[in-house]
């Protein structure tokens, strides 16, 4: 669970925080589609906080859907990882908050992201690395978009993680109907076929998200498909 920021923020404050970020952002829908899942994770699920960014026992959260990071920055600010005063500078030349997150500049960011298809393979490697070090408590979470699953790197990551029994690995797929290729049975069925525990929920329903995020899945990685409104609705 995260620690409370110096000023307490609630979910209702997030639209205002996102509104502080202006400029040439071209991926507004990509950001807003992730807002509820991010909030539930950081508010109720992830064992992370500003004081634990270097703690080897912390959970790891990887934003693979990094090409629309406004909601991510707003949530990090609300949870005290970075100053709210940074938000109005979003995307400017000298701001640490770029259009793609940079792990060297954004407190709490585990990876640099934005290129489609990178996050899930990195998360698989991270889960394997933690296992090799005997770190059994940290969980690895990665948030990806449905369109990212068109990338071949994700096919390999999904196929490997199930048989490897990476039960500390969790994937959240934001489904806003932007994928190019239909999948028989839906997104979750693809993961189930590879040995994952999977469920599909309303990506705006916080209680449904929380229940899906915390459901037990012994011996298997977990995927939660969070369905939101279509990108171009």
């Amino acid at each position: 669970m995260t620690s409370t920021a110096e000023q307490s923020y609630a979910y209702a404050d997030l639209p205002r925080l996102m509104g502080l970020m202006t400029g040439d952002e071209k991926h507004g829908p990509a950001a807003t589609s992730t807002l509820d899942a991010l909030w539930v994770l950081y508010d109720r699920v992830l064992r992370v906080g500003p004081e634990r960014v270097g703690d080897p026992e912390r959970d790891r959260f990887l934003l693979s859907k990094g090409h629309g990071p406004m909601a991510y920055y707003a949530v990090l600010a609300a949870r005290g990882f970075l100053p709210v005063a940074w938000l109005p500078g979003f995307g400017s030349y000298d701001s640490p908050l770029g259009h793609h997150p940079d792990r060297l500049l954004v407190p709490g960011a585990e990876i640099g992201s934005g290129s489609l298809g990178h996050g899930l393979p990195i998360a698989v490697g991270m889960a394997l690395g933690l296992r090799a070090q005997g770190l059994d408590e940290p969980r690895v979470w990665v948030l990806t978009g449905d369109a990212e699953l068109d990338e071949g790197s994700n096919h390999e990551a999904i196929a490997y993680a199930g048989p490897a029994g990476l039960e500390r690995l969790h994937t959240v797929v934001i489904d806003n109907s932007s994928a190019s290729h239909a999948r028989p049975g839906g997104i979750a069925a693809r993961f189930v076929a590879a040995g994952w525990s999977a469920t599909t929920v309303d990506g705006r329903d916080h209680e449904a998200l929380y229940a899906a995020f915390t459901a037990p899945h012994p011996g298997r990685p977990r995927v939660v498909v969070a369905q939101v409104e279509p990108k171009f609705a």
Side-chain angles (χ1 to χ4, degrees), residues 47 49 51-60 110 135 138:
R47 296 175 305 152
E51 75 289 349
R52 297 190 67 181
V53 293
D55 183 355
E57 296 291 341
R58 73 189 184 282
D59 287 343
R60 273 70 166 175
E110 297 281 357
L135 294 171

Side-chain angles (χ1 to χ4, degrees), residues 64-153:
S64 186
K65 192 177 170 70
H67 53 286
M70 292 186 295
Y72 182 50
Y73 293 155
V75 169
L76 288 178
R79 303 310 295 170
F81 286 86
L82 55 89
V84 170
W86 285 9
L87 300 180
F90 165 70
S92 62
Y93 175 76
D94 57 352
S95 173
L97 306 183
H99 290 162
H100 292 182
D102 184 329
R103 71 177 183 85
L104 299 179
L105 300 177
V106 180
E110 297 281 357
I111 61 170
S113 61
S115 297
L116 297 182
H118 286 180
L120 182 52
I122 294 173
V124 168
M126 191 171 287
L128 286 169
L130 291 170
R131 175 192 280 181
Q133 295 175 71
L135 294 171
D136 299 324
E137 290 303 314
R139 299 165 298 181
V140 179
W141 291 80
V142 56
L143 187 149
T144 185
D146 59 328
E148 287 192 75
L149 299 183
D150 291 342
E151 301 294 330
S153 54

Side-chain angles (χ1 to χ4, degrees), residues 19-228:
L20 297 174
M21 290 174 273
T22 59
D24 263 348
E25 170 55 47
K26 304 300 184 184
H27 294 286
T32 55
S33 68
T34 68
L35 188 61
D36 296 271
L38 284 169
W39 179 255
V40 174
L41 283 171
Y42 273 90
D43 188 51
R44 302 172 64 181
V45 178
L46 293 175
R47 296 175 305 152
V48 296
E51 75 289 349
R52 297 190 67 181
V53 293
D55 183 355
E57 296 291 341
R58 73 189 184 282
D59 287 343
R60 273 70 166 175
F61 174 78
L62 284 60
L63 181 70
S64 186
K65 192 177 170 70
H67 53 286
M70 292 186 295
Y72 182 50
Y73 293 155
V75 169
L76 288 178
R79 303 310 295 170
F81 286 86
L82 55 89
V84 170
W86 285 9
L87 300 180
F90 165 70
S92 62
Y93 175 76
D94 57 352
S95 173
L97 306 183
H99 290 162
H100 292 182
D102 184 329
R103 71 177 183 85
L104 299 179
L105 300 177
V106 180
E110 297 281 357
I111 61 170
S113 61
S115 297
L116 297 182
H118 286 180
L120 182 52
I122 294 173
V124 168
M126 191 171 287
L128 286 169
L130 291 170
R131 175 192 280 181
Q133 295 175 71
L135 294 171
D136 299 324
E137 290 303 314
R139 299 165 298 181
V140 179
W141 291 80
V142 56
L143 187 149
T144 185
D146 59 328
E148 287 192 75
L149 299 183
D150 291 342
E151 301 294 330
S153 54
N154 284 316
H155 289 267
E156 296 183 19
I158 294 167
Y160 179 86
L166 296 181
E167 66 177 81
R168 308 308 286 172
L169 174 64
H170 305 74
T171 299
V172 183
V173 179
I174 302 297
D175 180 8
N176 62 359
S177 302
S178 60
S180 299
H181 306 297
R183 296 177 180 84
I187 293 172
R190 175 181 179 186
F191 286 83
V192 170
W196 290 58
S197 167
T199 192
T200 301
V201 299
D202 180 348
R204 300 304 187 190
D205 184 331
H206 290 197
E207 293 307 317
L209 287 166
Y210 178 74
F213 292 161
T214 56
H217 50 96
R220 294 188 291 169
R222 174 73 166 168
V223 63
V224 176
V225 181
Q227 294 180 325
V228 298

